[in-house]
Amino acid sequence: MNRMRIVLSMLAMIGACCLAATGQAGQELQWRHAIGIIEAPKYAAGFEHFAYVNPQAPKGGELKLSANGTYDTFNPALDKGNLAAGLLPRASSVTETLFKPSMDEDGTSYGLLAEAIAYPDDYSFAKFRLRPEAKWADGQPVTPEDVVFSFESFKELHPLYTTYYAHVIKAEKTGEREVTFTFDQKGNKELPMIVSELDILPRHWWQANGPDGKPRDISRTTLEPILGSGPYRIAAFTPGSTLRYELRDDYWGRNLNVNVGYNNFRNILYTYYTDDNVGFEAFRAGGVDYWMETTAARWATGFDFPAVKSGNVLRAELPNPYRTVGIMQAMVPNMRRDMFKDARLREALLYAFDFEELNRTVFYNGYKRIDSFFWGTELAASGLPQGRELAMLNDLRDKVPPEIFTTPYSNPVGGTPEKQRDNLRKAVGLLKEAGYELRGNKMVNAATGKPLAFELLLSSPRLEVVAVPYSNMLRKIGIEMTVRTVDSSQYINRLRSFDYDMTWTVWGQTRNPGNEQREYWGSASVNRQGARNYAGIADPAIDALIDKVIFARDRDELLAATHALDRVLLAHHYVVPMYYGNTARIAYWNRMSHPADLPQFAIGFPDIWWSKNP
């Protein structure tokens, strides 16, 4: 999963350095080398390296990877264009963050560009002290001015971070190597973690002239290789087609404890392919070194080629990256369209989706049905609400669906002709309640006679194996769903502007949800283009529950609030929950290797892997 790691709700920060900072109210603050979320950080200040790495891993060799579609920008601060692979904020090869996550702890980070953090008891601000040795690739030091510039740029130019940093009101230089973020809320334990994962960009480079003699503009896309402080640089590229990163011999942080055993490939080459199938053929032929398979059918039938049989290509199913990740993969009706404002219509769409039949005939029984917005974690609601969760929901009783107090959520079950007929009959009944009726073979609005028809927007042809059978099922009850697959650029632009009737998406959750919930289902994001509120949710009860999640005072309160939020989201039938697996299916050519024991919560690819032929 190409993921942007969201680390949430800070509970503890352990590991003192020897100096202290002074808070705004005179409180003496302790500088910390690590931020822990659920448990105290396991590595003490001054640790040599993470336990999961090979500190003797050889440096060298070339890693060949694939990417789909195209790219047209190297600017990570924008939500415009197609950002090149390898530059995604918080997972970039070129830029770096203030703190770096550990792969064998859930929600714990250690100092990278910053050597320490300090904050007061009320979480009203957070200070970071930059490392004196941190340098940009041109040799200039990383400064507080760079941090301020980066924060202001991301917050102004990228809609995701506009919401994510909504309660960070300013960043300012407060010392020679010190920068302070001020928050407009107290008690929001997540905010220090959020700003610790800010990607830092070089102000002096972005505000200078480019090779053409014209001023650079961070508000515009660019294909000029950007300057970073990270271990790699953009060495060569063919616009939209290929991209090569080269390991920097002069990287300032190569011997830093959080980097020992990391960044082992000399070159990382991305080749873009028109679609997933073409990329897989390149992998089979040896032109791509690593493949993460997301299609159960291909995993079951497509890996019988000679290199697998000879042992030159190795396969594994690993639970590691999913041990802390909650998943909701769904088809999402856009409630900005009037037809989808009625929850009964949305529920009818759920009854028309026969997961069991698809799992048997298409997926080789390789998936499980999703029944939570936090599926796969202890954050998922189950049974009926009790205890603290029930108390929270009672406070909102007149604003939430009444069935959440009496009926646990469950998906319809299909898989046989009899069950399918029963489900479609239920769907027709719900549509009748919503004001629709069958006229001939068409489901129409009883008042206007307008047929019930909409378009499902997809980003890849491989999703059609699910979309087409679903369309056929809907047609049995008179609903016309057109399936439209567009190229990646058009899909991203339409998604950002909410220009779709229904789409298909995946939300990933950590075990510590927080401020990003406003981005997903909060009223403040419903009309902001580029937000991930794809369903168009604007509900005061959900807003109230999101606040309870964000301001939870302890783990039990966080669990109760998240269960309540999950339960209400499900009861409104905002999405048609689909399916997922709880293991990562990977295949790779044996010309590379990895530590014998991979970290508890990650595969570590490519960060801690290495070439056998350096």
Short mmCIF file of all heavy atoms in Angstrom, two decimals, residues 83-120:
data_model
loop_
_atom_site.label_atom_id
_atom_site.label_comp_id
_atom_site.label_asym_id
_atom_site.label_seq_id
_atom_site.Cartn_x
_atom_site.Cartn_y
_atom_site.Cartn_z
N LEU A 83 2.05 13.42 -9.01
CA LEU A 83 3.35 13.44 -8.35
C LEU A 83 4.14 12.19 -8.69
O LEU A 83 3.61 11.08 -8.68
CB LEU A 83 3.16 13.54 -6.83
CG LEU A 83 4.43 13.69 -5.98
CD1 LEU A 83 5.13 15.00 -6.29
CD2 LEU A 83 4.08 13.60 -4.50
N ALA A 84 5.41 12.36 -8.99
CA ALA A 84 6.26 11.24 -9.36
C ALA A 84 6.40 10.26 -8.21
O ALA A 84 6.43 10.65 -7.03
CB ALA A 84 7.64 11.75 -9.79
N ALA A 85 6.51 8.98 -8.54
CA ALA A 85 6.73 7.94 -7.53
C ALA A 85 8.01 8.24 -6.77
O ALA A 85 8.99 8.72 -7.32
CB ALA A 85 6.82 6.58 -8.21
N GLY A 86 7.98 7.95 -5.48
CA GLY A 86 9.15 8.17 -4.64
C GLY A 86 9.20 9.53 -3.98
O GLY A 86 10.13 9.81 -3.23
N LEU A 87 8.18 10.38 -4.21
CA LEU A 87 8.19 11.73 -3.63
C LEU A 87 6.99 11.99 -2.74
O LEU A 87 6.79 13.12 -2.30
CB LEU A 87 8.23 12.78 -4.75
CG LEU A 87 9.50 12.82 -5.59
CD1 LEU A 87 9.37 13.87 -6.69
CD2 LEU A 87 10.72 13.11 -4.72
N LEU A 88 6.20 10.96 -2.46
CA LEU A 88 5.02 11.15 -1.63
C LEU A 88 5.44 11.65 -0.25
O LEU A 88 6.32 11.07 0.40
CB LEU A 88 4.27 9.84 -1.48
CG LEU A 88 2.92 9.90 -0.76
CD1 LEU A 88 1.90 10.64 -1.61
CD2 LEU A 88 2.43 8.50 -0.43
N PRO A 89 4.84 12.75 0.23
CA PRO A 89 5.20 13.23 1.57
C PRO A 89 5.10 12.13 2.62
O PRO A 89 4.20 11.32 2.60
CB PRO A 89 4.17 14.34 1.81
CG PRO A 89 3.85 14.86 0.44
CD PRO A 89 3.87 13.63 -0.44
N ARG A 90 6.07 12.12 3.53
CA ARG A 90 6.21 11.15 4.62
C ARG A 90 6.67 9.79 4.14
O ARG A 90 6.77 8.86 4.94
CB ARG A 90 4.91 11.03 5.42
CG ARG A 90 4.45 12.37 5.95
CD ARG A 90 3.21 12.27 6.80
NE ARG A 90 2.74 13.61 7.13
CZ ARG A 90 1.71 13.86 7.91
NH1 ARG A 90 1.06 12.87 8.48
NH2 ARG A 90 1.35 15.10 8.15
N ALA A 91 6.92 9.66 2.84
CA ALA A 91 7.48 8.40 2.33
C ALA A 91 8.44 8.72 1.19
O ALA A 91 8.63 7.92 0.28
CB ALA A 91 6.37 7.48 1.84
N SER A 92 9.06 9.89 1.25
CA SER A 92 9.86 10.39 0.14
C SER A 92 11.31 9.93 0.24
O SER A 92 11.86 9.79 1.34
CB SER A 92 9.82 11.92 0.11
OG SER A 92 10.68 12.45 -0.87
N SER A 93 11.94 9.73 -0.92
CA SER A 93 13.36 9.42 -0.97
C SER A 93 14.22 10.68 -0.94
O SER A 93 15.42 10.60 -0.66
CB SER A 93 13.67 8.63 -2.25
OG SER A 93 12.97 7.42 -2.30
N VAL A 94 13.61 11.83 -1.22
CA VAL A 94 14.37 13.07 -1.40
C VAL A 94 14.19 14.03 -0.23
O VAL A 94 15.16 14.63 0.24
CB VAL A 94 13.96 13.76 -2.72
CG1 VAL A 94 14.63 15.12 -2.87
CG2 VAL A 94 14.32 12.86 -3.90
N THR A 95 12.96 14.19 0.24
CA THR A 95 12.71 15.08 1.38
C THR A 95 12.64 14.26 2.67
O THR A 95 12.48 13.04 2.64
CB THR A 95 11.42 15.87 1.18
OG1 THR A 95 10.31 14.96 1.07
CG2 THR A 95 11.49 16.74 -0.07
N GLU A 96 12.74 14.96 3.80
CA GLU A 96 12.70 14.29 5.10
C GLU A 96 11.75 15.00 6.04
O GLU A 96 11.40 16.17 5.85
CB GLU A 96 14.10 14.26 5.72
CG GLU A 96 15.10 13.42 4.95
CD GLU A 96 16.46 13.40 5.62
OE1 GLU A 96 17.07 14.48 5.77
OE2 GLU A 96 16.91 12.30 6.01
N THR A 97 11.37 14.29 7.10
CA THR A 97 10.48 14.82 8.12
C THR A 97 11.27 15.14 9.39
O THR A 97 12.43 14.75 9.54
CB THR A 97 9.38 13.81 8.44
OG1 THR A 97 9.98 12.54 8.76
CG2 THR A 97 8.46 13.62 7.25
N LEU A 98 10.62 15.80 10.32
CA LEU A 98 11.28 16.15 11.58
C LEU A 98 11.56 14.90 12.41
O LEU A 98 12.63 14.74 12.98
CB LEU A 98 10.42 17.13 12.37
CG LEU A 98 10.24 18.51 11.72
CD1 LEU A 98 9.17 19.30 12.45
CD2 LEU A 98 11.56 19.28 11.70
N PHE A 99 10.60 13.99 12.46
CA PHE A 99 10.75 12.72 13.16
C PHE A 99 10.48 11.57 12.21
O PHE A 99 9.81 11.75 11.18
CB PHE A 99 9.80 12.65 14.36
CG PHE A 99 10.36 13.21 15.65
CD1 PHE A 99 10.89 14.49 15.70
CD2 PHE A 99 10.36 12.45 16.81
CE1 PHE A 99 11.40 15.01 16.88
CE2 PHE A 99 10.88 12.95 18.00
CZ PHE A 99 11.41 14.23 18.03
N LYS A 100 10.98 10.38 12.54
CA LYS A 100 10.88 9.22 11.66
C LYS A 100 10.22 8.06 12.40
O LYS A 100 10.65 7.71 13.51
CB LYS A 100 12.28 8.82 11.18
CG LYS A 100 12.33 7.58 10.31
CD LYS A 100 13.76 7.36 9.82
CE LYS A 100 13.88 6.14 8.91
NZ LYS A 100 15.23 6.03 8.33
N PRO A 101 9.21 7.41 11.79
CA PRO A 101 8.52 6.30 12.47
C PRO A 101 9.41 5.07 12.60
O PRO A 101 10.25 4.78 11.75
CB PRO A 101 7.33 6.00 11.55
CG PRO A 101 7.19 7.20 10.67
CD PRO A 101 8.56 7.76 10.51
N SER A 102 9.20 4.34 13.68
CA SER A 102 9.81 3.02 13.88
C SER A 102 8.89 1.97 13.28
O SER A 102 7.67 2.07 13.40
CB SER A 102 10.01 2.76 15.37
OG SER A 102 10.25 1.39 15.62
N MET A 103 9.47 0.95 12.65
CA MET A 103 8.67 -0.09 12.01
C MET A 103 8.29 -1.24 12.94
O MET A 103 7.46 -2.06 12.57
CB MET A 103 9.42 -0.67 10.80
CG MET A 103 9.65 0.29 9.68
SD MET A 103 10.47 -0.54 8.29
CE MET A 103 10.80 0.85 7.20
N ASP A 104 8.90 -1.30 14.10
CA ASP A 104 8.53 -2.38 15.02
C ASP A 104 7.80 -1.87 16.25
O ASP A 104 7.70 -2.55 17.27
CB ASP A 104 9.75 -3.21 15.43
CG ASP A 104 10.81 -2.41 16.17
OD1 ASP A 104 10.72 -1.17 16.20
OD2 ASP A 104 11.75 -3.03 16.70
N GLU A 105 7.26 -0.66 16.16
CA GLU A 105 6.40 -0.09 17.19
C GLU A 105 5.20 0.53 16.50
O GLU A 105 5.29 1.03 15.39
CB GLU A 105 7.15 0.96 18.00
CG GLU A 105 8.37 0.43 18.73
CD GLU A 105 9.22 1.56 19.27
OE1 GLU A 105 8.95 2.01 20.40
OE2 GLU A 105 10.15 2.00 18.56
N ASP A 106 4.08 0.50 17.19
CA ASP A 106 2.86 1.06 16.62
C ASP A 106 2.72 2.51 17.06
O ASP A 106 2.40 2.79 18.21
CB ASP A 106 1.65 0.25 17.08
CG ASP A 106 0.36 0.74 16.45
OD1 ASP A 106 0.43 1.53 15.49
OD2 ASP A 106 -0.72 0.32 16.90
N GLY A 107 3.00 3.43 16.14
CA GLY A 107 2.83 4.84 16.44
C GLY A 107 3.91 5.45 17.29
O GLY A 107 3.63 6.23 18.20
N THR A 108 5.16 5.13 16.99
CA THR A 108 6.28 5.73 17.71
C THR A 108 7.28 6.26 16.70
O THR A 108 7.61 5.59 15.72
CB THR A 108 6.97 4.71 18.63
OG1 THR A 108 6.02 4.21 19.56
CG2 THR A 108 8.12 5.34 19.39
N SER A 109 7.78 7.47 16.94
CA SER A 109 8.73 8.10 16.03
C SER A 109 9.92 8.64 16.81
O SER A 109 9.80 9.00 17.98
CB SER A 109 8.06 9.24 15.25
OG SER A 109 7.05 8.76 14.38
N TYR A 110 11.06 8.72 16.10
CA TYR A 110 12.31 9.19 16.69
C TYR A 110 12.88 10.32 15.84
O TYR A 110 12.58 10.44 14.65
CB TYR A 110 13.31 8.04 16.77
CG TYR A 110 12.86 6.92 17.68
CD1 TYR A 110 11.97 5.95 17.23
CD2 TYR A 110 13.29 6.85 19.00
CE1 TYR A 110 11.52 4.93 18.07
CE2 TYR A 110 12.86 5.84 19.85
CZ TYR A 110 11.97 4.88 19.38
OH TYR A 110 11.54 3.88 20.22
N GLY A 111 13.71 11.14 16.46
CA GLY A 111 14.22 12.34 15.81
C GLY A 111 14.99 12.06 14.54
O GLY A 111 15.88 11.20 14.51
N LEU A 112 14.68 12.81 13.48
CA LEU A 112 15.40 12.73 12.20
C LEU A 112 16.03 14.10 11.94
O LEU A 112 17.13 14.37 12.40
CB LEU A 112 14.47 12.29 11.07
CG LEU A 112 15.09 12.13 9.69
CD1 LEU A 112 16.26 11.16 9.72
CD2 LEU A 112 14.04 11.67 8.68
N LEU A 113 15.36 14.99 11.24
CA LEU A 113 15.89 16.34 11.07
C LEU A 113 15.94 17.08 12.41
O LEU A 113 16.83 17.89 12.64
CB LEU A 113 15.04 17.13 10.08
CG LEU A 113 15.21 16.77 8.61
CD1 LEU A 113 14.19 17.52 7.76
CD2 LEU A 113 16.62 17.06 8.12
N ALA A 114 14.98 16.78 13.26
CA ALA A 114 14.99 17.35 14.61
C ALA A 114 15.54 16.32 15.57
O ALA A 114 15.24 15.14 15.47
CB ALA A 114 13.58 17.77 15.01
N GLU A 115 16.33 16.77 16.52
CA GLU A 115 16.90 15.84 17.49
C GLU A 115 16.02 15.69 18.73
O GLU A 115 16.19 14.74 19.50
CB GLU A 115 18.29 16.30 17.92
CG GLU A 115 18.33 17.65 18.62
CD GLU A 115 19.76 18.11 18.93
OE1 GLU A 115 20.70 17.41 18.51
OE2 GLU A 115 19.91 19.16 19.58
N ALA A 116 15.08 16.63 18.93
CA ALA A 116 14.27 16.57 20.14
C ALA A 116 13.00 17.40 19.98
O ALA A 116 12.91 18.29 19.13
CB ALA A 116 15.07 17.07 21.34
N ILE A 117 12.02 17.09 20.83
CA ILE A 117 10.74 17.80 20.87
C ILE A 117 10.42 18.12 22.33
O ILE A 117 10.83 17.40 23.25
CB ILE A 117 9.61 16.95 20.25
CG1 ILE A 117 8.28 17.71 20.26
CG2 ILE A 117 9.47 15.62 20.98
CD1 ILE A 117 7.14 16.96 19.56
N ALA A 118 9.70 19.23 22.56
CA ALA A 118 9.21 19.58 23.89
C ALA A 118 7.82 20.18 23.74
O ALA A 118 7.51 20.84 22.75
CB ALA A 118 10.15 20.58 24.56
N TYR A 119 6.97 19.95 24.75
CA TYR A 119 5.61 20.46 24.71
C TYR A 119 5.09 20.58 26.14
O TYR A 119 5.55 19.89 27.05
CB TYR A 119 4.70 19.54 23.88
CG TYR A 119 4.49 18.19 24.52
CD1 TYR A 119 3.35 17.93 25.28
CD2 TYR A 119 5.43 17.18 24.37
CE1 TYR A 119 3.16 16.70 25.88
CE2 TYR A 119 5.25 15.95 24.95
CZ TYR A 119 4.11 15.71 25.72
OH TYR A 119 3.94 14.49 26.32
N PRO A 120 4.10 21.44 26.38
CA PRO A 120 3.56 21.60 27.73
C PRO A 120 2.47 20.57 28.02
O PRO A 120 2.00 19.86 27.14
CB PRO A 120 2.98 23.02 27.70
CG PRO A 120 2.54 23.18 26.28
CD PRO A 120 3.55 22.44 25.45
#
